[in-house]
């Protein structure tokens, strides 16, 4: 029974570490945009949303 709990604990630690890696990678990608790029992407998304609502 102890092996099962050890395995579950280890799996939990690995899961938390993997989640941290994914979040860090996404944050780096988000911060890589310049303010002009962010503005352009937002304007493009708004235009797509407004165009989709009219149909």
């Amino acid at each position: 029974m102890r092996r099962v709990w050890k395995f579950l604990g280890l799996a939990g630690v690995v899961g938390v570490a993997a989640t941290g890696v994914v979040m860090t990678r996404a944050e780096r990608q988000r911060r890589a945009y310049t303010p002009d790029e962010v503005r352009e992407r937002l304007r493009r998304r708004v235009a797509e949303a407004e165009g989709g609502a009219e149909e």
Side-chain angles (χ1 to χ4, degrees), residues 21-53:
V21 169
V22 169
M23 290 177 62
T24 301
R25 185 174 292 165
E27 182 68 16
R28 284 183 185 161
Q29 287 178 342
R30 186 185 67 80
R31 288 186 180 189
Y33 295 123
T34 65
D36 290 333
E37 289 173 327
V38 172
R39 195 174 301 115
E40 177 58 35
R41 287 171 56 102
L42 288 173
R43 287 181 179 157
R44 193 174 333 128
R45 288 174 63 185
V46 167
E48 288 173 3
E50 288 176 348

